[in-house]
Amino acid sequence: MTEANTTVAEWVLPGHPDKLCDALADRIVGEVMRADPYGQCGIEAACAFDHVFVTGLIGFDRGTLPDIEQRLVDWVRETYRSAGYGGRWDPLPETLRIDTRALRIEQRGSEWQELRHLSDDQCICVGYAQDTPQTDYLPGAVWTARRIAQALHARQQAAPQGAIGPDGKVIVRGEERDDGSFRPISVSVSLHHAEDADWLELRRHAQSALRDALDGRGTGPLPDLAVNAAGMFLCGGPTGDNGTTGKKLVMDAYGPGVPIGGGAWSGKDFHKPDRVGGMLARRLALQCVQAGVGRHVRVQLEYRPNSALPESVGVWADSLPVPLPPAVRPIPTRDAARSMIAELAGAGFLPLTSGQLARWGHFGHAGSWWERGSRRPGHDAPTAVCATEA
């Protein structure tokens, strides 16, 4: 029987077919929004073997990116390369068969900008934060699983043509302690590998990544570690499984312990209410935690079509419904979108176009607009972005 304070979470590596599709969809979003900040994107991607399918809608000022059809092909290949494919790892980026026949690209003029502050859909957005700054206010199992996956990917990239491939999965089980710390109990790692891989090498690779990920945050021996418990993992990535955008919703959010709103983020522009609403809900939850409302806070935002603000706001602190503090208020989606665009544009849209957000999650990255909550009472006042629009 699982104890009440025991949690579990997973993460996948960039070579996983679902994450390939998420990163590709966000690459397209980033490039379109770099060209036209008001551009509309509703992109889906799917992959299997050496086939890649890109579907959906792009509506923007085509004059800002007239050769987008050719660039799409380049973006697909670059996404595969950055995940680790090429050389001994199939599918080879240069031989991919890329199908965009179900992708609609439309011209949008300046009149479109006047409507983008209104919700073009209805959705429910959930944000969560807990009073654990040591895990970036995220559940400890989610935070730890991601760190291990990042360490595994870094080691694979250090020897990209070695015996370890781009695909893989991590599952972490551990205890959330009363003092806010997280103690991993057991870790399961599945590593894509070459036929000539040495099993001791695989285990050393996983153990080294585990030490890199824990990085002094734990004492004593490593948690129990299982490596490739199902046996050989020779057929990885799109060669071994199909992938589509949005299949890792729970991992992309806060893990299995927190409800999700239901919408996928990757592939959607920042004016889409489900994407910008998800980021805003996270920010509101952070502000509530940092204002002392509770140790575990969940925020739920309801958006209706043609609205600029949520139709309703629900807040739960330590599982009990509470009112939203007066100093913490949702802002219009237009203002939130502008903040997100300005921040990412200042970084050359690198978090989007590099796949960082899609592969490693939107939350827990210091400095992101939606990660900067208010300070505790007695410190600096909340930033202006907390206030209701005049």
Side-chain angles (χ1 to χ4, degrees):
M1 182 68 69
T2 303
E3 299 178 3
N5 64 338
T6 300
T7 59
V8 63
E10 71 167 343
W11 211 273
V12 299
L13 272 62
H16 188 282
D18 294 334
K19 278 296 137 192
L20 275 174
C21 293
D22 284 341
L24 169 58
D26 263 5
R27 173 67 187 268
I28 296 170
V29 170
E31 297 290 357
V32 170
M33 297 191 72
R34 192 209 309 260
D36 179 1
Y38 290 92
Q40 181 185 20
C41 289
I43 303 297
E44 299 286 344
C47 64
F49 302 106
D50 60 348
H51 286 73
V52 181
F53 302 89
V54 182
T55 68
L57 169 68
I58 298 174
F60 77 124
D61 179 0
R62 286 203 58 139
T64 62
L65 202 59
D67 58 343
I68 186 171
E69 286 84 357
Q70 177 53 46
R71 288 179 179 265
L72 276 166
V73 173
D74 296 336
W75 298 337
V76 173
R77 301 193 196 284
E78 290 170 9
T79 299
Y80 271 66
R81 289 191 191 97
S82 66
Y85 288 99
R88 73 187 303 183
W89 304 113
D90 290 328
L92 304 181
E94 58 271 18
T95 61
L96 289 171
R97 291 186 278 180
I98 302 164
D99 190 326
T100 61
R101 287 175 295 177
L103 176 64
R104 192 165 80 249
I105 303 177
E106 297 181 350
Q107 165 65 27
R108 295 284 168 80
S110 58
E111 69 281 358
W112 176 249
Q113 300 179 11
E114 300 174 3
L115 301 175
R116 296 244 65 193
H117 70 288
L118 297 175
S119 171
D120 64 353
D121 202 352
Q122 58 187 40
C123 58
I124 298 171
C125 305
V126 172
Y128 173 83
Q130 62 184 48
D131 194 11
T132 56
Q134 63 270 42
T135 60
D136 297 320
Y137 301 94
L138 293 170
V142 171
W143 184 86
T144 303
R146 179 173 71 183
R147 281 182 63 89
I148 295 171
Q150 289 173 322
L152 287 167
H153 179 63
R155 288 186 164 272
Q156 192 275 335
Q157 291 288 282
Q161 297 303 310
I164 311 297
D167 195 0
K169 286 187 175 182
V170 177
I171 290 183
V172 172
R173 179 165 50 87
E175 294 178 345
E176 297 268 6
R177 295 174 169 177
D178 291 339
D179 62 2
S181 64
F182 176 78
R183 184 180 74 88
I185 298 172
S186 69
V187 176
S188 175
V189 173
S190 294
L191 290 174
H192 178 199
H193 62 87
E195 191 169 6
D196 60 355
D198 181 273
W199 282 88
L200 290 177
E201 180 184 1
L202 293 179
R203 186 164 188 85
R204 285 193 295 266
H205 181 89
Q207 286 178 327
S208 297
L210 191 53
R211 293 190 186 279
D212 293 344
L214 297 180
D215 191 24
R217 287 174 167 80
T219 58
L222 291 174
D224 290 340
L225 173 64
V227 181
N228 287 28
M232 300 181 76
F233 186 2
L234 297 176
C235 197
T239 305
D241 194 5
N242 69 307
T244 62
T245 48
K247 282 172 65 176
K248 292 291 180 282
L249 288 180
V250 175
M251 187 190 82
D252 291 340
Y254 306 96
V258 179
I260 61 173
W265 294 322
S266 294
K268 298 177 182 177
D269 66 76
F270 287 161
H271 293 275
K272 291 287 187 182
D274 41 355
R275 184 163 198 167
V276 73
M279 304 308 103
L280 180 56
R282 161 66 172 178
R283 180 176 174 82
L284 293 174
L286 266 175
Q287 290 174 330
C288 288
V289 165
Q290 295 177 345
V293 173
R295 292 200 63 200
H296 302 264
V297 175
R298 176 168 60 90
V299 172
Q300 179 176 291
L301 305 180
E302 173 199 3
Y303 285 95
R304 300 283 182 91
N306 290 322
S307 62
L309 284 165
E311 179 78 11
S312 67
V313 180
V315 182
W316 291 262
D318 302 324
S319 301
L320 297 175
V322 298
L324 193 66
V328 179
R329 285 289 180 268
I331 61 175
T333 54
R334 176 192 61 196
D335 295 350
R338 285 175 176 173
S339 295
M340 296 168 75
I341 292 168
E343 179 173 297
L344 291 179
F349 280 93
L350 186 61
L352 273 181
T353 58
S354 69
Q356 176 184 342
L357 290 180
R359 290 167 176 164
W360 305 121
H362 287 62
F363 308 128
H365 302 293
S368 298
W369 169 81
W370 52 93
E371 292 291 297
R372 295 197 296 270
S374 60
R375 297 185 179 273
R376 294 187 182 279
H379 292 72
D380 296 340
T383 55
V385 79
C386 306
T388 305
E389 184 185 37

